[in-house]
Amino acid sequence: MAYATRAELERFGGLPTRVLSSFDLAKQDDALAAASSYCDGYLRNQHKVPMVSPSDDLKIKVCEIAAYFLVRQVGFSPESGTDQLLVSAYSDAKAWLEQVAKGVVVLVNTADATPDVPDYGPSVSTSEPRGW
């Protein structure tokens, strides 16, 4: 399950529209799914994954990582300022995920991935103390 959409990738990924449009929709979807899975590796230390309702900051990081994954497929151009920004955004996203994994950064407005599963153990009670 991808945490971000193609529209969000276009908005937050940092790729110029002409570059993003050079990748077919299936590759964009694959990059978003791979980036989401990559994030899950860090998130599972503090959250149940997959997340049902990812926070906006997580969506942005997924888009930045997906953009990096896309451009990595065709190769980086050292002369391109855009490519340097993608590498920097990817590094920043990875550092941010490490902070989330340590609990230093807390995701807000996230929903439990397993809302129907109780998060508590069995409970035992009696009607009156037995005096033991």
Side-chain angles (χ1 to χ4, degrees):
M1 176 182 133
Y3 292 144
T5 64
R6 281 186 236 125
E8 291 166 329
L9 175 60
E10 183 174 1
R11 183 174 175 199
F12 301 123
L15 287 173
T17 304
R18 64 176 171 72
V19 175
L20 184 59
S21 63
S22 70
F23 296 98
D24 63 42
L25 300 181
K27 284 191 178 185
Q28 292 178 34
D29 290 341
D30 289 347
L32 287 166
S36 298
S37 179
Y38 179 84
C39 290
D40 280 348
Y42 290 92
L43 297 174
R44 71 176 32 97
N45 286 342
Q46 299 291 328
H47 301 275
K48 291 181 181 179
V49 293
M51 300 183 107
V52 174
S53 177
S55 61
D56 289 340
D57 49 354
L58 177 58
K59 289 180 181 185
I60 291 168
K61 299 306 178 188
V62 166
C63 290
E64 291 171 346
I65 293 167
Y68 175 84
F69 286 174
L70 283 169
V71 174
R72 189 177 65 181
Q73 292 176 22
V74 295
F76 289 98
S77 171
E79 299 84 28
S80 170
T82 301
D83 287 0
Q84 292 303 318
L85 290 174
L86 288 174
V87 171
S88 178
Y90 170 78
S91 297
D92 290 347
K94 185 176 175 186
W96 181 84
L97 287 167
E98 289 168 355
Q99 296 297 307
V100 171
K102 293 176 185 173
V104 175
V105 173
V106 178
L107 299 179
V108 293
N109 300 326
T110 57
D112 189 344
T114 56
D116 297 333
V117 177
D119 290 334
Y120 53 85
S123 176
V124 178
S125 63
T126 182
S127 58
E128 57 185 72
R130 296 185 181 200
W132 297 345

